[in-house]
């Protein structure tokens, strides 16, 4: 129980820090804060709690991010989705993705420093294990690609459908969806649906090569996001304008005849 209390205390401290940073520099908040806090918390919670507690804390983390950093995202899939919708420039999207990857790396550094404090027996065990970690990919790369594509498409479709809804509805719905995906895909890829988060959590783990991880967690998630944009809009605005799924209603034409003067 002491380990869980330490994690909850870490959650409160990090949540306070991210809130202050988002309020102080809202324009820069889209780069690193949501990402590095997610990485650091996801890195420690599953190792000191049962599955139900870990999912509860994960849901609380996602709620906190949505509540204190409105408009900020630590997910490259969201950034790419905006680009595919022709909302913003390629340079801005590249800068955003770079910031998210940097935030993920920063989160990994914070998590390692947190474990190095050895506050509980679990911290000591982790320190003895050193750099060893267990991969989140528990299936073949091909199967993992399909699972992450499905998770990415599900999340992106919901994100697009709720983007104009009130935060009171949008934030809990997205948090619950991501928590459900993480639970449903735990025996396959952990349902990360976030390329930057996956990079920090599992790319350095043994079992698969960097190329295989990239195929699953980068290409899979982005393929799912692209598919979601196509299904939601009927086309990919950034790539082509012709709507292939949904036809626009034709103009209502009046009867032909002489115009009244």
């Amino acid at each position: 129980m002491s380990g869980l209390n330490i994690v909850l205390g870490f959650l409160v401290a990090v949540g306070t820090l991210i809130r202050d940073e988002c309020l102080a520099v809202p324009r820069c908040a889209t780069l690193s804060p949501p990402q590095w806090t997610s990485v650091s918390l996801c890195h420690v919670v599953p190792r000191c709690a049962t599955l139900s507690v870990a999912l509860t804390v994960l849901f609380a983390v996602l709620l906190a991010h949505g509540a204190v950093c409105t408009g900020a995202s630590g997910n490259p899939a969201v950034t790419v989705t905006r680009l595919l919708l022709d909302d913003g420039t390629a340079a801005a999207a590249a800068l955003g993705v770079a910031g998210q990857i940097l935030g993920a790396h920063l989160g990994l550094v914070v998590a390692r420093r947190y474990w190095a404090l050895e506050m509980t027996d679990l911290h000591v065990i982790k320190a003895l294990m050193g750099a060893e970690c267990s991969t989140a990919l528990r299936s073949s790369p091909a199967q993992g690609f399909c699972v992450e594509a499905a998770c990415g498409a599900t999340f992106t479709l919901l994100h697009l459908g709720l983007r104009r809804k009130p935060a009171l509805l949008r934030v809990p719905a997205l948090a619950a969806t991501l928590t459900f995906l993480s639970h449903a895909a735990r025996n396959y890829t952990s349902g990360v649906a976030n390329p930057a988060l996956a990079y920090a959590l599992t790319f350095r783990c043994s079992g698969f090569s960097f190329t295989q991880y990239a195929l699953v967690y980068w290409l899979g998630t982005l393929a799912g996001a692209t598919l979601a944009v196509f299904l939601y809009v009927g086309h990919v605005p950034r790539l082509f304008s012709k709507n292939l799924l949904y036809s626009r209603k034709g103009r209502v034409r009046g009867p032909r005849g002489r115009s009244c003067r």
Side-chain angles (χ1 to χ4, degrees):
M1 201 62 191
S2 61
L4 179 59
N5 291 334
I6 291 174
V7 169
L8 292 177
F10 184 70
L11 170 62
V12 173
V14 168
T16 303
L17 178 61
I18 183 177
R19 182 203 62 182
D20 294 341
E21 187 167 353
C22 286
L23 292 176
V25 283
R27 292 181 63 87
C28 298
T30 56
L31 296 181
S32 62
Q35 193 58 32
W36 74 261
T37 49
S38 291
V39 173
S40 56
L41 287 167
C42 289
H43 193 75
V44 299
V45 170
R47 293 171 172 81
C48 61
T50 62
L51 177 62
S52 60
V53 173
L55 291 175
T56 301
V57 175
L58 175 60
F59 178 72
V61 170
L62 296 170
L63 276 181
H65 284 173
V68 303
C69 276
T70 303
S73 174
N75 193 340
V78 175
T79 303
V80 172
T81 298
R82 292 172 180 168
L83 180 65
L84 294 175
L85 290 171
D86 210 11
D87 181 14
T89 64
L95 180 62
V97 170
Q100 289 156 351
I101 296 294
L102 178 62
H105 181 74
L106 178 61
L108 186 60
V109 172
V110 172
R112 287 175 175 174
R113 293 295 180 89
Y114 173 75
W115 282 111
L117 296 176
E118 299 184 358
M119 295 182 180
T120 67
D121 293 339
L122 289 171
H123 294 180
V124 177
I125 296 174
K126 177 63 179 178
L128 294 175
M129 291 173 61
E132 295 182 6
C133 64
S134 57
T135 177
L137 181 57
R138 299 180 178 88
S139 63
S140 65
Q143 188 177 29
F145 175 89
C146 295
V147 172
E148 279 301 304
C151 292
T154 302
F155 168 72
T156 304
L157 278 173
L158 186 63
H159 181 268
L160 291 173
L162 296 176
R163 57 180 175 170
R164 292 186 176 88
K165 299 296 182 179
L168 188 62
L169 171 64
R170 182 182 68 256
V171 173
L174 291 175
T177 300
L178 288 173
T179 304
F180 169 77
L181 292 176
S182 177
H183 175 69
R186 67 187 185 281
N187 294 325
Y188 300 94
T189 64
S190 296
V192 181
N194 185 329
L197 187 60
Y199 164 76
L201 292 179
T202 199
F203 271 43
R204 62 189 180 88
C205 300
S206 60
F208 296 91
S209 66
F210 182 90
T211 302
Q212 291 173 318
Y213 280 131
L215 172 67
V216 174
Y217 291 105
W218 288 0
L219 294 182
T221 303
L222 296 181
T226 304
L227 176 62
V229 171
F230 179 74
L231 293 176
Y232 186 81
V233 184
H235 64 110
V236 181
R238 189 76 182 186
L239 302 180
F240 55 92
S241 59
K242 183 179 180 180
N243 197 312
L244 302 178
L245 295 182
Y246 312 114
S247 60
R248 297 180 179 179
K249 294 182 179 180
R251 298 179 181 177
V252 178
R253 297 182 179 180
R256 293 182 179 180
R258 297 180 179 177
S259 60
C260 298
R261 294 184 179 179

